[in-house]
Amino acid sequence: MKQHNTFTLKDFIIRAGIAYFITLIIFCIFIFRVIPGCSLLQSKLVLFLLTVLSFGLIYFEKDDRRNYLSIATNVLIPFGIYTTLAYILLLPIPLGIVWTLLIGLDLVYIGFYFYKVKRRNYNSLLEKSQLVIGLASLLSLVIVLSFTLFGSSLIQSSTKITNNTDAYIRKYDDKSLKNLNNWSKLKRKEKLNTLQTICNNERDYLGISARIKVGAGSKLTHPYAQYNNKSKEITFDVSQLDHASSTTLLEALLHSTYHAYEYALVESYDSMSSDYNKLVDYRTIVTYKREFSTKVTNKAKNYNQINESNAEAYAAEALQDYQNKLKK
């Protein structure tokens, strides 16, 4: 940080408060999630305490570092540390690399500093360590934000997404059926792989040409899973993936896959000749198109839409087929 004041103490506190408030809004919209093992209240308390601690470090430094870089560092640190705590189980490799590498380099620098320098400036060491933690915090936020903005899933299955094949009856995979019967014993990745395999089979049965990915994430608009037609992806809530039953998640998968089918119907309707798209059998597709183009925030109205009721009916029927197969 520059060794000169840019602001008075009053200006510094006001600007830091404004920066924190703006960052908090962005953080809550795109990144915030409950820390694993904690309640919502406990998670908010952790974020609050990290913020107090970060801003408290100001008073252990000299008074000549009130500038924009100081503000950025003190704002980034609590959000970055909280993000790491909340997402480390979902993104262990990228977050682990960032923090291990930067903290490791900082410790090497500190060791070299104590070995070489006789007249030590501890304020300077504290300042540089803050910058390192601030940089690690920034990179952590960028990593998580890149997933939450450009891809709804934080983790994905490793099962191959097969090409569409003609299937006029529903296919059943023996390994998947066995996994459904032993759901509580499966690891998170095994559950996603099973759901991806079933999704592949449902996609073949419904005749969907798009390659649909299955993954898991957080902060979904639906309680168990949701379908994103832009990314062609079905995303399960991570906590539900860990704790919900195979029946609940299978029904959510079948429901979401049917939404993919409805979107495919709309796309085929849009490419159809106007000589045919007014036929009575296509009117349901017109309803789908209208519903998909209208954002509904009221959950009750959303579940009363035709696309939702049809997806629910399909999921219930398909789930019964799977349950009958599981009993054999």
Side-chain angles (χ1 to χ4, degrees):
M1 299 178 207
K2 294 194 305 182
Q3 298 294 319
H4 305 285
N5 284 343
T6 306
F7 310 115
T8 64
L9 179 59
K10 179 181 178 181
D11 288 339
F12 180 77
I13 293 174
I14 291 174
R15 282 171 168 76
I18 293 173
Y20 176 79
F21 181 71
I22 294 172
T23 308
L24 178 64
I25 293 174
I26 298 172
F27 185 79
C28 288
I29 292 174
F30 296 109
I31 297 179
F32 181 86
R33 74 182 298 267
V34 173
I35 298 174
C38 296
S39 66
L40 177 60
L41 180 61
Q42 290 170 331
S43 298
K44 289 181 177 180
L45 182 60
V46 169
L47 181 58
F48 173 74
L49 292 176
L50 285 171
T51 303
V52 172
L53 177 63
S54 176
F55 278 87
L57 290 174
I58 297 170
Y59 296 97
F60 291 96
E61 297 180 334
K62 290 182 178 180
D63 294 331
D64 55 358
R65 293 178 185 140
R66 296 194 293 265
N67 49 54
Y68 279 117
L69 188 54
S70 293
I71 291 174
T73 301
N74 286 290
V75 168
L76 285 172
I77 285 176
F79 290 116
I81 294 176
Y82 182 90
T83 299
T84 302
L85 293 174
Y87 285 89
I88 190 63
L89 296 179
L90 297 176
L91 301 168
I93 295 177
L95 292 178
I97 289 174
V98 164
W99 284 94
T100 301
L101 181 62
L102 290 177
I103 297 299
L105 289 174
D106 187 46
L107 291 175
V108 169
Y109 170 78
I110 292 174
F112 183 78
Y113 182 86
F114 275 99
Y115 178 73
K116 285 289 186 180
V117 179
K118 301 297 183 182
R119 299 180 62 184
R120 295 159 186 163
N121 184 342
Y122 293 104
N123 283 320
S124 177
L125 278 179
L126 178 60
E127 171 196 346
K128 289 180 172 58
S129 294
Q130 274 187 274
L131 278 173
V132 169
I133 297 174
L135 179 59
S137 298
L138 175 61
L139 292 175
S140 299
L141 292 169
V142 169
I143 288 170
V144 173
L145 197 61
S146 66
F147 277 94
T148 55
L149 284 181
F150 305 113
S152 52
S153 293
L154 295 171
I155 53 177
Q156 293 185 342
S157 71
S158 56
T159 297
K160 182 180 179 181
I161 304 173
T162 59
N163 292 322
N164 178 269
T165 58
D166 292 333
Y168 299 102
I169 58 173
R170 181 172 284 113
K171 293 187 293 186
Y172 299 95
D173 178 74
D174 290 337
K175 183 179 179 181
S176 296
L177 293 174
K178 183 178 178 181
N179 286 343
L180 289 173
N181 271 326
N182 299 283
W183 197 252
S184 61
K185 299 178 182 178
L186 300 182
K187 296 179 180 178
R188 184 184 289 163
K189 200 74 172 180
E190 293 173 320
K191 291 180 179 180
L192 283 177
N193 289 344
T194 300
L195 292 169
Q196 180 69 70
T197 300
I198 295 173
C199 178
N200 292 342
N201 292 339
E202 285 298 309
R203 180 174 144 264
D204 283 351
Y205 175 67
L206 292 167
I208 304 170
S209 60
R211 297 164 65 84
I212 303 171
K213 297 178 291 183
V214 172
S218 60
K219 293 180 70 67
L220 306 185
T221 56
H222 292 71
Y224 295 103
Q226 65 186 32
Y227 174 69
N228 186 325
N229 193 52
K230 290 183 178 178
S231 61
K232 308 297 183 188
E233 186 171 19
I234 296 173
T235 306
F236 286 85
D237 182 86
V238 171
S239 60
Q240 297 292 354
L241 182 68
D242 290 338
H243 302 110
S245 68
S246 61
T247 300
T248 299
L249 295 176
L250 176 58
E251 185 172 16
L253 173 72
L254 297 168
H255 184 110
S256 298
T257 307
Y258 195 80
H259 279 316
Y261 170 70
E262 291 170 334
Y263 273 102
L265 286 176
V266 171
E267 290 169 6
S268 67
Y269 175 85
D270 288 339
S271 63
M272 191 181 301
S273 168
S274 59
D275 293 335
Y276 299 102
N277 63 13
K278 292 181 176 61
L279 293 172
V280 67
D281 281 351
Y282 295 129
R283 289 177 187 171
T284 301
I285 304 177
V286 175
T287 303
Y288 290 159
K289 183 177 180 179
R290 184 178 65 254
E291 291 175 344
F292 290 149
S293 63
T294 305
K295 186 175 181 179
V296 180
T297 55
N298 185 297
K299 288 187 177 181
K301 289 183 178 179
N302 179 62
Y303 290 130
N304 285 330
Q305 290 185 326
I306 298 298
N307 74 85
E308 281 293 336
S309 59
N310 286 356
E312 185 177 352
Y314 175 83
E317 181 182 345
L319 179 64
Q320 187 62 54
D321 286 346
Y322 272 96
Q323 290 176 330
N324 292 337
K325 195 73 175 179
L326 288 167
K327 291 177 183 178
K328 293 181 180 180

